[in-house]
Amino acid sequence: MSNEATLHGHQEVHGSLGHDQGHGHDDHGHHHETFISKYVFSMDHKMIAKQFLITGIVWAIIGAFFSVLFRLQLGFPDTSFPWLQSILGHWAENGHITPQAYYALVTMHGTILVFFVLTAGLSGTFSNFLIPLQVGARDMASPFMNMLSYWFFFLASLVMMSSLFVQTGPASGGWTAYPPLSALGDASIGSKVGMDLWIASMALFVVSQLLGGLNYISTILNMRTKGMSMTKMPLTIWAFFFTAVLGVLSFPVLLSGFILLLFDRHAGTSFYLSDIFVAGKALSNEGGSAILYQHLFWFLGHPEVYIIILPAMGMVSEVLAINSRKPIFGYLAMIGSLFAICILAFLVWAHHMFVTGLNPFLGAFFVLLTLLIAVPSAIKVFNWLTTIWRGNINFTPGALFSIGFVSTFISGGLTGIWLGNSSIDIHLHDTYFVIAHFHIVMGVSAFFGMFAGIYHWFPKMYGRFMNNTLGYIHFWITLVGAYLIFWPMHYEGMAGMPRRYFDYSTWESFKQFADLNHFISIVVIGVFATQMLFVFNFFYSIFKGRKLTNANPWKATTLEWTTPIHAGHGNWPGEIPEVYRWPYDYSKDGIDFIPQTTPIGPNESAH
Amino acid sequence: MSAQRNKIHPHKYSLWIAMGSITMMFIGFTSAYIVKRAQANWKVFELPKIFWVSTAVILLSSVTIQLAVKVFKQRQMGRYRQLITLTAALGVVFAALQLWGFSDMAAHGLTLAGPASVSFIYVIVAMHILHVLGGVVALLVMFFRAYRTNVKVYSPVGIEVAATYWHFVDALWIYLLIFLSVAR
């Protein structure tokens, strides 16, 4: 049910306000639901969140497995793996991945992990799950649109998945899909129908993200329960809000870039193409500019980094405060820094383009803005550390992953200062230093935030706990493994080893890294196996995990823990609770925690 | 304890955010246009005159939909149905006139696969037409809803949302026309 619910019989619909009008949300848990309406075409934000999460996990397994495959090539360039042929067929003849397959694997790995896992899987899951629960709403502003958001994502997934099986293979021009490789069907084998499917899938994905983003913003601004002022919202909600703002303002620009790309591919236009020769034959395209595509792409591409990391930041703030039994340090500064990051995210895209012939004066401007982002980021790091400082820390898997997030965000963020300097970037651009930087700060950190969220909110999602021992094993191997994988890449990058090379061993300069790459690849396999342990823990715990007996297992203050253990559609069986205080009253006046629904006492201070 | 509270209807809120999104897409197009304009092979040409006629049509449609909102609130359902039908028809006429403009350009050798300045006109205008046609579909839904007998709709939210969107695509076209006329 929703405010879009069909009203049967002769009825009259009045008014313009009622999300609850026209039907009773209190009945959400009681009206008859079929398997299809409950689990497939569900309009319950909690079920949609689970759909996003499970689809994201499936994609994460595929995307991570692709990285294992191409790491085999990088780590063992001279070794034949006959079993590869049984998986990849003619893409791995004689047990060697072909160059075309290598580029396809790298492209799909990036696309899947950046968009389908760390955008849809992370933000789609937790924005959907937590926004209505934490602001005190029955559901999203538009549950139907929310459902559409998931199914557009599902369609995008189907199209992307199908591109893996076309005869000419999937797109292979890199996750950024730069022209001319992406704009000319004849440029490479991966530029053919695989590229069309990639663009179609991404267009559907953008629609999904826009539908989701509209809903998140509307729900947060418009559907908070009584007493839930903006400054009483948990930082998770602030983070989801700014993430949605980033998404709705930047994804359309990417879409415009893709539309022009499609016209270049199929209508003979020259937006991105000029003076191109294919197999010695000059094409008729004149006056296009591949740099134009880069501007349009990175206008999304850089905010995308923050679309990925902001939800993780919000969840880490929440998990750290709860498990430290302390209020978050600098609540308003945390909101301010999220806002500053949100603004600056739109003003730094050209730092990805320092070596495109950008005017040096303009480059200096983007260097300054890029380095400015370090300020709000540092504020957040400082506040996380001061939150756990002298806290009574419960080292749950969720808390460990949150602390791990802070660690990787620091170490990955610091190398961003290097790359943000245009003069240093001229040397480091397109080397393994860049790979190491963004994998630690964006990939590993965001995954740690996602893991923290999954371990922490799993009991709310499924009414059971995940296994702690497996969680600890998962954390320590992943943390150590991530550093072992990406730390050495910084040195490779500083030595100039370029990214996207199929076989570095033919260059004298890079042969010295053979042992290092060998080592990295072995660790990758180990870390991938550990993620399978997490996947096992996740699915096993859904059915066999220790059952929740207390609706508020972490002794948290926020509204989601005031619902029943198995909340129906509508979340609260009676009326929605009213909010009286901010969400971080931990260890206040000698009391362990005070829920948001507890009125402020007569002699009690505000915070 | 309290019931769910709302300030502005969620659909209205969502529409405003969606309009922001659509605006960003066209800002993307027009920014790309400005960047390309500063580069080689930029061909200057006259916009088809018919675009100005289509502008008058879409402006008129904004008037008719605003009247539709007014008569809906007065419960003059017959007039309301006439006005939203007229608005949708004007939307279709607008799209047809834009396509006429395309054929006029093609007749003068200005084809889609020509210089980038020409290609941009085709793409930007076509994308705007798609958004107008989206509005036409919404109006058709409103039209059929107005004939339903089992549910009487007294809430003006639907038509207000449709009207806001319609004014938006109208204003968007004015912006695009001025932009394409000035940034030659």
Side-chain angles (χ1 to χ4, degrees):
Chain A
M1 291 285 282
S2 71
N3 53 338
E4 293 145 327
T6 307
L7 301 167
H8 299 288
H10 183 77
Q11 299 177 37
E12 295 181 351
V13 184
H14 297 267
S16 60
L17 293 179
H19 179 74
D20 275 351
Q21 285 167 359
H23 65 290
H25 258 298
D26 293 357
D27 298 336
H28 269 309
H30 308 291
H31 57 76
H32 177 69
E33 284 184 306
T34 63
F35 178 86
I36 297 287
S37 70
K38 186 174 181 182
Y39 295 106
V40 183
F41 296 110
S42 173
M43 287 200 251
D44 182 353
H45 70 99
K46 299 187 293 298
M47 184 54 64
I48 292 168
K50 291 173 190 176
Q51 290 174 322
F52 268 109
L53 179 57
I54 289 168
T55 311
I57 287 173
V58 169
W59 271 123
I61 294 166
I62 295 167
F65 182 64
F66 284 176
S67 72
V68 170
L69 292 180
F70 65 71
R71 275 310 315 183
L72 286 177
Q73 164 59 32
L74 289 168
F76 311 91
D78 303 321
T79 310
S80 170
F81 299 97
W83 57 269
L84 277 178
Q85 199 163 352
S86 61
I87 298 173
L88 300 175
H90 70 279
W91 299 103
E93 281 177 351
N94 307 319
H96 281 283
I97 292 174
T98 62
Q100 292 85 351
Y102 175 85
Y103 291 123
L105 289 170
V106 170
T107 300
M108 296 310 288
H109 166 78
T111 303
I112 290 166
L113 268 296
V114 168
F115 293 112
F116 287 24
V117 180
L118 293 176
T119 303
L122 173 54
S123 175
T125 297
F126 289 102
S127 296
N128 262 305
F129 191 74
L130 291 177
I131 287 173
L133 284 171
Q134 289 195 334
V135 302
R138 296 287 183 195
D139 204 317
M140 287 287 182
S142 171
F144 177 73
M145 207 156 74
N146 206 25
M147 181 184 76
L148 279 186
S149 165
Y150 172 74
W151 286 104
F152 267 101
F153 170 51
F154 187 80
L155 272 178
S157 297
L158 280 185
V159 174
M160 192 65 81
M161 187 74 79
S162 68
S163 78
L164 299 174
F165 299 98
V166 296
Q167 194 181 6
T168 51
S172 64
W175 77 275
T176 52
Y178 282 175
L181 273 182
S182 59
L184 287 172
D186 294 333
S188 75
I189 193 164
S191 305
K192 298 185 190 303
V193 70
M195 190 70 227
D196 286 321
L197 290 169
W198 188 94
I199 295 169
S201 170
M202 286 305 300
L204 290 166
F205 178 82
V206 169
V207 173
S208 158
Q209 289 305 298
L210 292 177
L211 289 170
L214 298 182
N215 241 332
Y216 306 151
I217 296 170
S218 292
T219 307
I220 292 168
L221 291 181
N222 204 39
M223 301 191 67
R224 302 186 307 277
T225 189
K226 192 176 177 189
M228 179 66 80
S229 62
M230 294 293 275
T231 50
K232 288 195 179 81
M233 293 196 312
L235 287 172
T236 39
I237 302 303
W238 275 106
F240 298 147
F241 173 70
F242 285 122
T243 302
V245 170
L246 282 170
V248 297
L249 294 180
S250 62
F251 272 114
V253 178
L254 179 74
L255 191 59
S256 66
F258 284 162
I259 289 165
L260 298 182
L261 185 61
L262 272 177
F263 274 93
D264 269 10
R265 282 179 67 80
H266 297 295
T269 56
S270 301
F271 294 114
Y272 305 134
L273 298 170
S274 186
D275 307 317
I276 302 275
F277 288 80
V278 175
K281 179 171 160 269
L283 300 186
S284 59
N285 302 90
E286 274 187 24
S289 165
I291 306 297
L292 173 62
Y293 175 86
Q294 290 196 31
H295 279 293
L296 292 171
F297 178 86
W298 286 115
F299 192 84
L300 159 94
H302 196 81
E304 173 65 20
V305 172
Y306 294 100
I307 287 169
I308 285 171
I309 208 73
L310 288 188
M313 285 177 170
M315 291 191 295
V316 161
S317 304
E318 192 71 11
V319 174
L320 285 179
I322 290 169
N323 288 291
S324 304
R325 314 312 296 161
K326 278 182 68 187
I328 192 81
F329 186 90
Y331 174 75
L332 290 178
M334 286 298 231
I335 296 169
S337 56
L338 282 170
F339 177 68
I341 288 171
C342 188
I343 297 294
L344 288 167
F346 281 110
L347 304 176
V348 297
W349 80 90
H351 71 209
H352 296 270
M353 301 166 62
F354 284 145
V355 295
T356 58
L358 194 74
N359 181 316
F361 175 77
L362 200 59
F365 174 76
F366 280 100
V367 167
L368 176 68
L369 289 168
T370 301
L371 297 185
L372 266 181
I373 284 201
V375 176
S377 302
I379 288 170
K380 299 195 82 63
V381 168
F382 177 82
N383 288 355
W384 287 319
L385 294 176
T386 39
T387 297
I388 59 175
W389 175 252
R390 303 188 71 183
N392 181 17
I393 305 173
N394 299 321
F395 287 104
T396 62
L400 285 173
F401 272 106
S402 296
I403 294 166
F405 169 93
V406 178
S407 165
T408 54
F409 187 71
I410 293 170
S411 46
L414 287 173
T415 53
I417 297 172
W418 294 42
L419 293 166
N421 282 281
S422 54
S423 50
I424 303 175
D425 185 65
I426 287 167
H427 170 65
L428 293 175
H429 184 82
D430 264 354
T431 68
Y432 269 79
F433 193 94
V434 178
I435 304 291
H437 158 71
F438 80 74
H439 272 83
I440 289 186
V441 78
M442 189 180 97
V444 177
S445 293
F447 260 112
F448 273 36
M450 189 172 175
F451 288 137
I454 292 171
Y455 281 106
H456 184 80
W457 278 286
F458 190 89
K460 186 77 251 164
M461 284 181 168
Y462 295 103
R464 293 174 184 268
F465 289 95
M466 287 180 76
N467 182 283
N468 266 4
T469 307
L470 292 179
Y472 293 137
I473 295 167
H474 177 216
F475 169 73
W476 285 110
I477 294 178
T478 306
L479 180 76
V480 174
Y483 274 118
L484 290 178
I485 291 164
F486 296 115
W487 199 267
M489 287 187 190
H490 290 100
Y491 299 109
E492 293 180 337
M494 282 188 273
M497 187 169 151
R499 68 193 288 198
R500 293 181 172 140
Y501 273 34
F502 165 70
D503 185 358
Y504 63 89
S505 64
T506 51
W507 274 266
E508 264 328 299
S509 341
F510 309 128
K511 274 185 180 175
Q512 59 176 317
F513 295 118
D515 289 342
L516 200 53
N517 278 319
H518 190 83
F519 170 77
I520 290 170
S521 293
I522 289 169
V523 178
V524 164
I525 293 165
V527 170
F528 176 74
T530 308
Q531 305 320 302
M532 293 303 98
L533 194 68
F534 161 78
V535 171
F536 167 78
N537 188 4
F538 179 85
F539 286 106
Y540 179 84
S541 300
I542 289 175
F543 303 103
K544 299 284 185 184
R546 181 164 55 91
K547 282 186 179 173
L548 208 60
T549 52
N550 174 359
N552 189 0
W554 311 122
K555 298 186 174 66
T557 59
T558 41
L559 286 182
E560 76 269 31
W561 305 105
T562 63
T563 65
I565 290 172
H566 295 285
H569 191 183
N571 299 332
W572 288 270
E575 291 199 336
I576 302 173
E578 193 172 328
V579 164
Y580 298 94
R581 58 180 68 232
W582 79 321
Y584 298 106
D585 272 341
Y586 293 102
S587 306
K588 186 187 182 188
D589 303 333
I591 303 167
D592 183 31
F593 74 103
I594 310 173
Q596 283 191 280
T597 50
T598 306
I600 301 229
N603 300 317
E604 195 184 345
S605 59
H607 284 345
Chain B
M1 302 291 263
S2 72
Q4 182 71 58
R5 300 180 324 130
N6 286 289
K7 297 132 192 158
I8 303 170
H9 193 283
H11 291 183
K12 288 186 179 178
Y13 230 113
S14 297
L15 176 73
W16 280 99
I17 302 160
M19 291 188 310
S21 258
I22 295 166
T23 302
M24 282 304 290
M25 188 173 82
F26 281 93
I27 285 174
F29 283 129
T30 50
S31 302
Y33 182 98
I34 290 167
V35 171
K36 282 296 304 129
R37 186 165 148 260
Q39 295 172 351
N41 296 315
W42 187 258
K43 181 172 179 172
V44 178
F45 64 96
E46 280 298 309
L47 286 177
K49 297 277 187 295
I50 198 76
F51 281 4
W52 295 96
V53 179
S54 66
T55 306
V57 169
I58 202 167
L59 281 170
L60 180 62
S61 70
S62 257
V63 174
T64 56
I65 200 164
Q66 198 53 42
L67 288 172
V69 174
K70 189 179 167 191
V71 298
F72 179 90
K73 287 176 178 173
Q74 294 166 347
R75 304 304 299 161
Q76 298 176 36
M77 298 311 283
R79 286 266 299 138
Y80 164 71
R81 281 191 288 264
Q82 285 172 0
L83 283 164
I84 56 173
T85 308
L86 180 58
T87 308
L90 286 170
V92 173
V93 170
F94 170 81
L97 290 171
Q98 302 292 80
L99 295 175
W100 186 351
F102 285 169
S103 66
D104 186 40
M105 284 168 64
H108 287 87
L110 302 168
T111 59
L112 174 62
S117 55
V118 179
S119 306
F120 265 115
I121 302 290
Y122 277 102
V123 173
I124 292 172
V125 173
M127 288 311 298
H128 181 259
I129 291 171
L130 280 179
H131 283 84
V132 171
L133 293 178
V136 170
V137 170
L139 286 174
L140 290 176
V141 171
M142 306 291 303
F143 177 83
F144 288 113
R145 275 191 183 176
Y147 274 104
R148 285 192 308 186
T149 53
N150 60 337
V151 179
K152 276 200 168 66
V153 179
Y154 288 91
S155 166
V157 170
I159 184 63
E160 282 174 347
V161 165
T164 305
Y165 177 77
W166 199 264
H167 295 322
F168 166 72
V169 291
D170 183 347
L172 181 62
W173 171 247
I174 303 296
Y175 156 72
L176 290 173
L177 187 67
I178 292 169
F179 174 84
L180 295 171
S181 302
V182 172
R184 305 300 308 134

